[in-house]
Amino acid sequence: MTANVKKTRKKTDQSDTSQAVEEFLLEQLPIPQALRNHLTFSIGKSNSWATTRDWYQTAAFTVRDHLMSRWVNTRDAYRDANTKRVYYLSLEFLIGRMLSNAALNLGIAPELSDGLQQIGQKLEGIAELEPDAALGNGGLGRLAACFVDSMATMDIPATGYGIRYDYGMFRQTIEHGQQKENPDNWLRYQNIWEVQRPEHTCEVKFYGRVLHVHTEHGIEHHWVDHETVVAMPYDVPVPGYGTQTVNNLRLWSAKATNEFDLAHFNEGNYEKSVEGRHGAETISQVLYPNDTSESGKALRLKQQYFFVSASTQDILHRFTNYNADWDTLPEKVAIQLNDTHPSIAVAEMMHQLVDHYHLQWDRAWKLVTKMFAYTNHTLMPEALETWSVELFAQLLPRHLDIIYEINHQFLQMVNQHFPGDTGLLQRVSIIDETHGRRVRMAHLAIVGSHTVNGVAELHSELLKATLFADFNKIYPGKFTNVTNGITPRRWLNQANPLLTELLTKHIGTGFQKDLSLIKKIEPFADNAAFRKAFREVKKANKQRLADKIMQKTGIAIDADALFDVQIKRIHEYKRQLLNVLHVITLYNRIRTGQVSVHTPRVVIFAGKAAPGYWLAKQIIRLINDVASMINHDPAVNHQLKVVFYPNYEVSAAEILFPGADLSEQISTAGTEASGTGNMKMALNGALTIGTLDGANVEIKEEVGDENIFIFGLTTPEVAKLKAEGYNPWDYYHSNPELKQVIDMIGSGFFSVEEPARYQAIVDTLLHKGDQYLLLADYAAYITAQDKVAALYQDQEAWSRMAILNVARMAKFSSDRTIADYAARIWQVSPFKL
Ligand SMILES: *Cc1c(COP(=O)(O)O)cnc(C)c1O
């Protein structure tokens, strides 16, 4: 079977093309003039009545002009060269704002800033009018956003595929100390960073049944009586830094096929005229606001299949347009599954290749297992997605058959290698028969992929030893590690212009694109003048954060205090509650005059709780109750303050990370896969207090044991303690300070009007076994915090350590991560325009 080659692009002369582009770029108007033009011709206003939002849109149009020719050119160049491409499938892209980032990556930020100044506008001011593109929950979605930035910067031919949610991550407000979720209507105003591409629309089917038709080629499987939803792509440009490459992020939006029934409308049946539209279009309406746990809702499976099917069709259209031989498919296509959310792609690819393109099963399967790779993001078994067989049979009947066939062949293979091991067969089967019949998506992803990776050394080792030990035995060599990273463009250059300027003054520019250059700052740790300048930068960033906190919460804080920062999704395993136990301990010590060193401290929390995660929301409420007691107590509030910064999102993170002195990375060892907040903080000159968990282990290796505050049980110690029978009461009874803190929470000290408010929190710690071992780690944590407070007294020593942290962060650039994926998993090379 060969593909039908429909089009061949006329090969244009390379030098002609680049010359044409050069000329086009030269034709760009000077920025001040471009701004004026856009205000008139795109916005339709004059200077005198333009709002700040008009100016934001004007600036965005102006920057977009500079993207467009590179974007077009990149796409044409990939096509002409018929390069191998990476397709990064992710249900989440937590992008944040684009204006400043695009200007930075294109190298026009200074001109834009100047141009705006000339017409009386400030870039920082107008940039705030851009709503965050918050199409993700937390770390996993932000990782995808850092990855597309790095792939473009490193000239890796890549396309991101995801969903254009009408509503992204909810906007969090705090009312009476409690989280309230508000809809994130980010598309209320025109989104200048997307282009609708109706010509690439495709159809996605749901429901119906399968007919098995005998033909001369064998049995064909026809999916009939299905419903159809239209997938409309919106393309978002992803500019690389210091390169001509602008890659594409294609986000799908669901549209009904029956747009509008005029006949019904004319009869006055207004309801009926839009019937059916509603159901179809809810698919891309809202991001599931859930982190690490899995909700099992049918709409979620619909979302997954919707974007996976559209993306798979798109990938295969592109392939068949320019290639004739199906066996070359894996030489042109590498697909990365960001967690199991898109893992139905394994079955969809088989469906497309076998049912639509009529490849033989075995040939198609070989191609599939050469194209797919899967990234796991969690060790928690409860987070692994499964779907009931009944739901699958209803929604995707053909795919269930395909999964059965994949499973049948897989289990046969396992049985050949491990004859008679029925326990093994049951454990690794794609179908779980132990809790009703359910499809295990992680197993489908593992069987369909050539490589499975964890996201930090420890995590990847634990995957092989625990969660996927059986698979590691069956597929030795399939499991590997690729440690996460963050993009230095957004998380250093853009978030921290003052530190960027200081670094540039001493080591020159270039670290933005090659973070290994940042190690050149290391010798300056011993230079007193540099340390002073470094402290001044930190102080200015803390003042910027303090001003923002005043504006958002009305709480006044002193930028000379130690800023102790824990910002991440609120989850029991991340142990914000352990931090609260320390805060209350400090409060008690200050009240009773038991502190030896007086290090004024501001403890800052930020993060969202999943709307259905009641206990996490209680933790937010407790933080706010504790904050309000401490902040209003004149006996302590010159020494200690507590802030809950509302609505943690990328744009908030860009202000919070540079303002941190102390980075709280205190998850129970063995629970955090990697973490990336830990990397962002250290890169911005915060010292880490943390457990030996996730990428903290590698941060410690890089910065050196003496430049990080490590405390608490290690992963093997956690396992041992649990195996021996952990009893939190032992710690409660033997540590009077700890007992006092827990008793205060339980007795309503912080909730006088409702004394039993936090009974459930006390119950998890004492009566329900303290699953995350807060009590076991409490004493070590307090000791580590005492060391932190003591060291902060010695500002020279503190600065020295902070500078060394910055200098030793090279490993955690997402450019390094992407280079690793490209070389070891995708086998793609950079393609320079
Ligand atoms: C980096 C980042 C995260 C991930 O933080 P962790 O501490 O690794 O959990 C989540 N949300 C936002 C907005 C981020 O920027």
Side-chain angles (χ1 to χ4, degrees):
M1 186 77 47
T2 53
N4 189 12
V5 181
K6 292 168 193 155
K7 293 172 206 160
T8 41
R9 260 183 73 85
K10 192 160 61 78
K11 194 148 171 52
T12 49
D13 183 276
Q14 280 298 320
S15 57
D16 278 5
T17 312
S18 47
Q19 196 185 342
V21 168
E22 197 72 0
E23 279 165 13
F24 188 83
L25 287 174
L26 288 174
E27 275 174 35
Q28 298 273 359
L29 293 173
I31 282 180
Q33 198 184 331
L35 289 166
R36 285 200 185 88
N37 276 10
H38 274 300
L39 186 65
T40 306
F41 298 120
S42 305
I43 307 294
K45 282 204 183 175
S46 73
N47 202 342
S48 56
W49 51 300
T51 64
T52 313
R53 177 167 294 106
D54 293 329
W55 279 117
Y56 156 67
Q57 297 211 332
T58 300
F61 276 121
T62 303
V63 170
R64 198 181 73 167
D65 287 347
H66 287 255
L67 278 170
M68 283 297 186
S69 58
R70 299 187 194 196
W71 197 17
V72 170
N73 207 37
T74 303
R75 185 192 336 237
D76 287 354
Y78 290 164
R79 249 181 231 181
D80 290 347
N82 195 11
T83 60
K84 181 169 186 176
R85 290 205 217 188
V86 177
Y87 297 101
Y88 196 82
L89 268 59
S90 180
L91 210 48
E92 302 189 11
F93 287 91
L94 189 51
I95 297 164
R97 293 180 180 144
M98 311 252 270
L99 176 63
S100 300
N101 190 250
L104 167 68
N105 281 13
L106 292 167
I108 59 169
E111 290 93 320
L112 179 66
S113 203
D114 290 350
L116 284 163
Q117 203 140 34
Q118 283 178 38
I119 43 182
Q121 298 295 322
K122 272 186 81 96
L123 176 56
E124 301 80 58
I126 67 164
E128 301 225 328
L129 269 288
E130 178 176 357
D132 274 43
L135 309 183
N137 274 282
L140 177 149
R142 183 55 230 176
L143 187 76
C146 283
F147 279 8
V148 291
D149 178 273
S150 281
M151 289 190 285
T153 297
M154 302 185 71
D155 305 302
I156 301 287
T159 298
Y161 279 115
I163 293 180
R164 178 184 180 270
Y165 300 104
D166 297 333
Y167 293 87
M169 189 58 186
F170 68 83
R171 209 163 38 75
Q172 178 195 58
T173 51
I174 302 298
E175 295 184 10
H176 307 294
Q178 299 181 80
Q179 167 173 298
K180 178 168 183 272
E181 300 96 24
N182 310 278
D184 166 44
N185 192 1
W186 72 296
L187 293 170
R188 175 160 38 211
Y189 310 102
Q190 185 188 3
N191 177 11
I192 289 162
W193 306 108
E194 66 181 15
V195 179
Q196 194 188 44
R197 303 286 187 204
E199 73 277 21
H200 294 293
T201 293
C202 48
E203 295 192 345
V204 178
K205 300 167 188 169
F206 292 99
Y207 303 109
R209 63 204 167 88
V210 182
L211 294 182
H212 308 281
V213 182
H214 290 267
T215 72
E216 51 186 304
H217 310 295
I219 300 176
E220 285 184 6
H221 307 272
H222 295 189
W223 188 358
V224 298
D225 297 338
H226 51 75
E227 291 180 11
T228 302
V229 175
V230 171
M232 173 71 76
Y234 288 76
D235 286 357
V236 179
V238 183
Y241 177 91
T243 172
Q244 293 288 315
T245 300
V246 176
N247 279 339
N248 197 23
L249 173 59
R250 179 160 283 183
L251 302 176
W252 300 98
S253 178
K255 299 253 180 287
T257 40
N258 52 335
E259 272 286 344
F260 177 68
D261 191 329
L262 193 61
H264 281 302
F265 187 83
N266 289 341
E267 286 161 18
N269 262 327
Y270 304 127
E271 294 281 308
K272 230 174 162 59
S273 69
V274 293
E275 203 173 71
R277 258 180 87 172
H278 235 64
E281 295 180 2
T282 49
I283 292 176
S284 58
Q285 209 157 55
V286 56
L287 169 80
Y288 269 81
N290 216 331
D291 192 51
T292 69
S293 95
E294 181 266 304
S295 71
K297 296 283 192 303
L299 181 60
R300 169 86 174 179
L301 179 58
K302 272 191 168 179
Q303 287 187 335
Q304 296 181 349
Y305 181 68
F306 166 74
F307 104 94
V308 158
S309 176
S311 306
T312 306
Q313 292 178 52
D314 207 45
I315 290 167
L316 292 178
H317 283 157
R318 191 170 299 118
F319 175 80
T320 53
N321 278 345
Y322 303 105
N323 300 278
D325 180 2
W326 280 109
D327 289 327
T328 64
L329 185 59
E331 292 158 34
K332 301 296 173 189
V333 174
I335 301 176
Q336 191 68 34
L337 305 172
N338 193 25
D339 213 318
T340 57
H341 316 149
S343 57
I344 184 69
V346 169
E348 173 67 5
M349 186 61 82
M350 287 302 287
H351 166 58
Q352 293 286 327
L353 292 178
V354 172
D355 298 343
H356 187 75
Y357 291 106
H358 303 292
L359 268 68
Q360 293 299 316
W361 177 279
D362 291 347
R363 188 179 181 202
W365 183 246
K366 271 203 189 102
L367 297 177
V368 164
T369 54
K370 284 181 183 169
M371 284 189 284
F372 281 95
Y374 152 57
T375 305
N376 171 279
H377 287 270
T378 177
L379 284 159
M380 295 184 202
E382 70 268 24
L384 292 183
E385 290 185 303
T386 62
W387 297 105
S388 82
V389 162
E390 297 85 80
L391 175 64
F392 237 97
Q394 235 185 36
L395 200 63
L396 301 168
R398 174 60 182 142
H399 293 72
L400 185 60
D401 286 346
I402 289 171
I403 289 169
Y404 282 154
E405 182 57 28
I406 293 170
N407 198 34
H408 173 72
Q409 299 201 2
F410 166 63
L411 293 178
Q412 234 171 19
M413 180 276 283
V414 175
N415 196 38
Q416 271 167 22
H417 286 85
F418 305 91
D421 193 344
T422 51
L424 179 69
L425 292 176
Q426 277 174 25
R427 290 195 303 275
V428 298
S429 172
I430 299 172
I431 307 297
D432 180 0
E433 314 263 359
T434 56
H435 312 84
R437 302 186 70 230
R438 303 186 69 84
V439 184
R440 293 162 162 158
M441 301 309 277
H443 293 203
L444 178 63
I446 295 169
V447 173
S449 295
H450 55 83
T451 307
V452 177
N453 75 287
V455 289
E457 290 288 352
L458 173 67
H459 168 60
S460 300
E461 285 310 308
L462 291 172
L463 276 184
K464 287 192 281 187
T466 62
L467 203 57
F468 298 147
D470 288 326
F471 282 104
N472 190 43
K473 197 167 77 172
I474 295 165
Y475 296 121
K478 188 180 275 208
F479 291 82
T480 188
N481 173 250
V482 186
T483 299
N484 280 168
I486 56 170
T487 169
R489 271 74 64 185
R490 186 175 291 265
W491 297 114
L492 178 54
N493 200 317
Q494 186 188 322
N496 202 338
L498 295 176
L499 182 56
T500 302
E501 196 187 335
L502 179 66
L503 293 172
T504 305
K505 207 171 114 194
H506 289 84
I507 62 173
T509 181
F511 55 86
Q512 289 93 338
K513 194 158 175 135
D514 177 3
L515 198 62
S516 71
L517 296 174
I518 206 165
K519 69 171 179 292
K520 291 202 279 182
I521 209 67
E522 193 166 320
F524 291 92
D526 293 322
N527 176 326
F530 183 82
R531 287 199 301 270
K532 182 160 176 288
F534 184 85
R535 274 197 300 279
E536 282 164 6
V537 164
K538 180 57 80 179
K539 177 83 183 283
N541 286 325
K542 287 167 73 176
Q543 191 56 55
R544 179 176 69 158
L545 174 56
D547 295 345
K548 203 68 176 185
I549 285 173
M550 170 54 82
Q551 180 200 327
K552 299 246 174 205
T553 68
I555 301 170
I557 57 172
D558 178 0
D560 283 323
L562 187 166
F563 281 15
D564 174 347
V565 179
Q566 187 172 23
I567 50 177
K568 47 185 76 243
R569 288 302 292 266
I570 310 293
H571 201 292
E572 287 164 274
Y573 86 82
K574 291 178 183 278
R575 301 202 294 192
Q576 280 91 357
L577 202 46
L578 180 59
N579 191 340
V580 174
L581 298 183
H582 170 249
V583 168
I584 300 172
T585 304
L586 262 187
Y587 175 56
N588 291 338
R589 287 183 182 179
I590 297 167
R591 282 191 305 153
T592 55
Q594 293 178 67
V595 274
S596 44
V597 286
H598 291 275
T599 302
R601 194 190 278 250
V602 180
V603 183
I604 299 166
F605 294 88
K608 293 171 184 173
Y613 190 171
W614 182 80
L615 199 77
K617 292 167 103 171
Q618 281 295 99
I619 293 170
I620 291 177
R621 192 173 193 189
L622 175 62
I623 291 169
N624 282 300
D625 275 348
V626 170
S628 119
M629 167 114 354
I630 290 177
N631 298 344
H632 291 104
D633 186 342
V636 300
N637 64 14
H638 57 289
Q639 288 280 329
L640 179 63
K641 283 213 170 147
V642 181
V643 173
F644 190 92
Y645 187 107
N647 198 37
Y648 183 48
E649 57 182 344
V650 172
S651 56
E654 288 168 18
I655 293 196
L656 284 155
F657 285 119
D661 291 310
L662 185 65
S663 162
E664 297 272 356
Q665 308 300 338
I666 59 176
S667 52
T668 315
T671 61
E672 186 77 89
S674 164
T676 49
N678 45 5
M679 303 168 187
K680 296 171 200 163
M681 291 251 213
L683 183 60
N684 282 280
L687 299 184
T688 303
I689 183 167
T691 48
L692 283 176
D693 199 18
N696 296 354
V697 177
E698 289 157 78
I699 291 176
K700 170 176 164 287
E701 278 170 15
E702 294 297 307
V703 304
D705 298 3
E706 66 287 4
N707 297 310
I708 188 167
F709 301 95
I710 296 294
F711 72 93
L713 298 171
T714 61
T715 305
E717 287 166 353
V718 166
K720 183 160 175 280
L721 182 56
K722 285 197 167 180
E724 286 168 354
Y726 168 60
N727 186 359
W729 289 102
D730 296 344
Y731 299 85
Y732 174 82
H733 287 303
S734 63
N735 187 333
E737 236 184 347
L738 170 61
K739 179 174 185 300
Q740 184 188 4
V741 169
I742 294 179
D743 289 348
M744 285 165 75
I745 297 171
S747 66
F749 186 94
F750 301 103
S751 54
V752 189
E753 63 286 16
E754 188 191 344
R757 182 176 293 163
Y758 297 114
Q759 193 52 51
I761 285 183
V762 172
D763 285 348
T764 56
L765 294 180
L766 293 175
H767 301 278
K768 294 188 178 169
D770 185 21
Q771 195 191 342
Y772 296 105
L773 306 182
L774 279 72
L775 274 60
D777 272 343
Y778 169 83
Y781 181 52
I782 300 296
T783 305
Q785 286 285 20
D786 290 345
K787 281 193 202 146
V788 167
L791 185 78
Y792 198 72
Q793 297 284 315
D794 183 351
Q795 283 288 297
E796 295 298 342
W798 184 282
S799 309
R800 191 174 173 281
M801 278 170 61
I803 294 163
L804 291 178
N805 269 259
V806 174
R808 297 174 181 176
M809 280 300 111
K811 175 175 180 182
F812 304 104
S813 167
S814 46
D815 299 346
R816 188 274 309 150
T817 312
I818 288 301
D820 220 13
Y821 276 101
R824 292 200 295 122
I825 297 180
W826 303 330
Q827 332 256 257
V828 291
S829 315
F831 178 84
K832 255 197 129 46
L833 259 61

